[in-house]
Amino acid sequence: MSTAHIHSPETIRKFRSQFVKFDGECRQALASVSGDVSSVGEWLRREQLAHWKRELRRREELVQQARLDYLRVTQGDKYLEKQTGVDERKILERAQRAKQEAEQKIEKVKRWIWTLDQKTGKLLQPCSTFSSLLERLTPQALGRLDRMLDRLDEYLRPSGGPPSNEGAP
């Protein structure tokens, strides 16, 4: 066992203080990472997926309405002035493209959800391990530092006398 020549326990007190600060910052960073991942996942699942599903239903209704308008014009409604249906066909095609876009967005959101789940599962494992280590080892380390400080205070206290009351009136 090696020996250390420490003349003041203040060095260990400073180290202990920095260690507590480091532990707190690590825990905060780990919680932040976990929270950010959860937030993104919830945003994709609840907001984006729901938004694009609603948008798909709305766009499907627009396609149905455009199809009915186009059929009414092209089936020869004798009371309409124009019989070609060019404008209605363009509206129908535009509505179909918009519907396809919503379907693609839904697929992309689902793909991002799956990718996020796959990647974060692998990446958060080391974070979880580190968090567990902090939970288990920090109290042990602080206890050990406190015992060192107690022993140093006892060692540095003048022998035979009561503990000094520095700063006492």
Side-chain angles (χ1 to χ4, degrees), residues 11-41:
T11 303
I12 295 176
R13 283 189 182 91
K14 286 180 183 177
F15 174 77
R16 186 188 188 287
S17 173
Q18 291 300 313
F19 182 75
V20 168
K21 183 179 175 184
F22 170 76
D23 178 72
E25 289 175 358
C26 286
R27 289 174 193 255
Q28 184 178 4
L30 291 168
S32 178
V33 166
S34 180
D36 289 349
V37 167
S38 294
S39 294
V40 170

Side-chain angles (χ1 to χ4, degrees), residues 1-7 12 148 152 155:
M1 183 166 142
S2 62
T3 60
H5 299 284
I6 297 176
H7 300 284
I12 295 176
M148 287 175 159
L152 277 172
Y155 176 76

Side-chain angles (χ1 to χ4, degrees), residues 41-103:
E42 287 300 309
W43 176 74
L44 285 170
R45 284 179 183 85
R46 291 185 183 225
E47 291 181 34
Q48 291 300 303
L49 191 57
H51 165 76
W52 285 108
K53 284 182 176 182
R54 283 190 308 273
E55 191 63 23
L56 178 60
R57 284 191 297 275
R58 187 183 72 77
R59 292 178 184 192
E60 285 172 340
E61 290 172 5
L62 290 175
V63 167
Q64 289 174 353
Q65 184 60 48
R67 184 173 286 123
L68 288 173
D69 291 344
Y70 176 71
L71 289 174
R72 189 170 20 106
V73 169
T74 58
Q75 295 300 320
D77 191 345
K78 296 176 185 172
Y79 299 107
L80 293 175
E81 294 179 8
K82 59 181 184 175
Q83 296 290 320
T84 61
V86 172
D87 292 335
E88 287 76 10
R89 185 171 39 93
K90 286 181 182 179
I91 292 170
L92 175 59
E93 289 170 355
R94 196 174 316 126
Q96 288 172 331
R97 282 192 305 272
K99 178 185 167 227
Q100 288 173 343
E101 177 194 30
E103 291 169 340

